[in-house]
Amino acid sequence: MRTDTPWGTLPARDHLLAGAVDAAGAPVLDVVVPVYNEEKDLEPCVLRLHDHLARTFPYSFRITVADNASTDRTPQVAARLAAALPRVRSHRLEEKGRGRALRTVWSGSDAPVLAYMDVDLSTDLNALLPLVAPLISGHSDLAIGSRLARSSRVVRGSKREFISRAYNLILRSSLAARFSDAQCGFKAIRRDVAERLLPMVEDSGWFFDTELLVLAERAGLRIHEVPVDWVDDPDSTVHIVRTATEDLKGVWRVGRALAVGALPLDRLARPFGDDPRDRALSGVPGGLARQLVGFCVVGALSTLVYLALYSLFRLGVGPQLANGGALLLSAVANTAANRRLTFGVRGRGGAVRHQAQGLVVFAIGLALTSGSLAALGAASGSPSHGTELAVLIAANLAATVLRFLLFRAWVFPERAVAEGRPEGGVALAAPSAGTASAAPSAGHCDDTHHELGNVR
């Protein structure tokens, strides 16, 4: 996994026409058409797309043909189109891979909105402006077309319909993806987001789209979905088994990286915006309600684990040893879960220190519960197992309240998280009015992009 992204969180989204567009004449939109051996379809596609944008798109645009090491006359056709049409250019790559082509062209583009679509134009071009508008206005970070939306109209075979729905079901169940259609050939992204996100995306082939979306969603970026009309390309020559295998490998790789916190997704965090009500207020703790809910959920699960471990250990050792062992194991798991889920700290930075501080909190809890057991033993001599559990539950409730206060004030202090320090904390509060950045935002918009015959 690549992690060499620029430091610092993203600025607040700004309307592109409020200063983000290059005064020297850079286009607002750069539509990339990745192709491989498309000498027959390339010219009609580019001419149709160019005519549509010239007639209906209210901003400046560019069409970039990204040739993926074609071996036929595709490079000559692309060069001829670039020479004939001022707003068309061609870019030649010596290696195949749609993801590689998009990464290369997007990384070098000066347009604030970046897009791509496939050469067959399977998606209705009238969906282009609705896709781009949320990126230009500053409302969203990425935009995708969805063939699975209720109002979408799709014409394709049952086999491809089944494969597409099964793939999206896999993404929802394994990576907890909430976007509806990962593979639709119609996507867009703001350039400022692409600059941070692209270095984290490892895949250079068909899984590129999915990886981009999963990482963006996990980082808390806003993904806008547009229902599309889509007609299947009957001449697609994609290798279904090979593509499916590579996609499943990609799902496993990304899932593992997310599980171990290997990606610095906190660098993609955005402030809430320019509404004064969204800015951080001094002396007012942020996220308390959300943290309480998360802490209670983690605490309930930890208590169940603790009681199960105590009952298991109690079969072979005395109550004090059983309590200490169960509390130690559940405390390590509790600290890790609260670090990630309750207080939003991602990445490995500071993990060891957090666990060490968590063990101090554990020691306090151990003192409370062990003292309660000692007091019970002194009072009743040989209490029943049920009585021991009841006393431990009461002691743990008191320890839980103290644990939350210590976690919030000492282990995961709000100021470290809110300031977005590179230790791994996700920025939960926007910067104050005096520090909010209004840096130019860029976008990546995509017109009808049907994925080069992929099973989408």
Side-chain angles (χ1 to χ4, degrees), residues 200 255 319 344 368:
M200 297 186 192
L368 284 174

Side-chain angles (χ1 to χ4, degrees), residues 192-211:
D192 60 343
V193 176
E195 289 172 349
R196 307 290 184 87
L197 192 54
L198 289 179
M200 297 186 192
V201 179
E202 185 173 323
D203 191 80
S204 296
W206 294 108
F207 188 69
F208 175 88
D209 302 56
T210 301
E211 187 170 356

Side-chain angles (χ1 to χ4, degrees), residues 428-445:
L428 299 178
S432 63
T435 60
S437 172
S441 45
H444 145 232
C445 160

Side-chain angles (χ1 to χ4, degrees), residues 366-379:
L366 178 62
L368 284 174
T369 54
S370 296
S372 299
L373 282 176
L376 177 63

Side-chain angles (χ1 to χ4, degrees), residues 34-38 66-72 91-104 202-206 208 237-239 242-243 452:
V35 292
Y36 174 73
N37 288 348
E38 296 286 356
D67 176 27
N68 284 278
S70 294
T71 57
D72 62 359
H91 187 94
R92 167 77 176 182
L93 289 89
E94 300 302 327
E95 294 183 87
K96 291 178 61 177
R98 187 190 61 185
R100 178 178 291 107
L102 294 178
R103 187 198 320 279
T104 301
E202 185 173 323
D203 191 80
S204 296
W206 294 108
F208 175 88
T237 58
V238 68
H239 194 292
R242 183 174 59 201
T243 300
L452 285 175

Side-chain angles (χ1 to χ4, degrees), residues 354-377:
H354 292 154
Q355 281 293 350
Q357 292 173 308
L359 289 177
V360 174
V361 178
F362 150 76
I364 297 174
L366 178 62
L368 284 174
T369 54
S370 296
S372 299
L373 282 176
L376 177 63

Side-chain angles (χ1 to χ4, degrees), residues 178-255:
R178 295 188 298 273
F179 46 84
S180 65
D181 194 349
Q183 295 177 313
C184 179
F186 191 59
K187 295 181 177 68
I189 188 172
R190 291 172 64 99
R191 188 184 63 197
D192 60 343
V193 176
E195 289 172 349
R196 307 290 184 87
L197 192 54
L198 289 179
M200 297 186 192
V201 179
E202 185 173 323
D203 191 80
S204 296
W206 294 108
F207 188 69
F208 175 88
D209 302 56
T210 301
E211 187 170 356
L212 186 80
L213 290 174
V214 169
L215 298 186
E217 186 176 74
R218 286 299 187 96
L221 298 179
R222 183 173 294 158
I223 301 175
H224 177 71
E225 295 199 12
V226 178
V228 297
D229 297 341
W230 193 87
V231 179
D232 188 20
D233 175 18
D235 298 325
S236 172
T237 58
V238 68
H239 194 292
I240 296 178
V241 175
R242 183 174 59 201
T243 300
T245 301
E246 293 301 317
D247 284 350
L248 292 176
K249 289 180 180 178
V251 169
W252 167 256
R253 174 176 51 80
V254 172

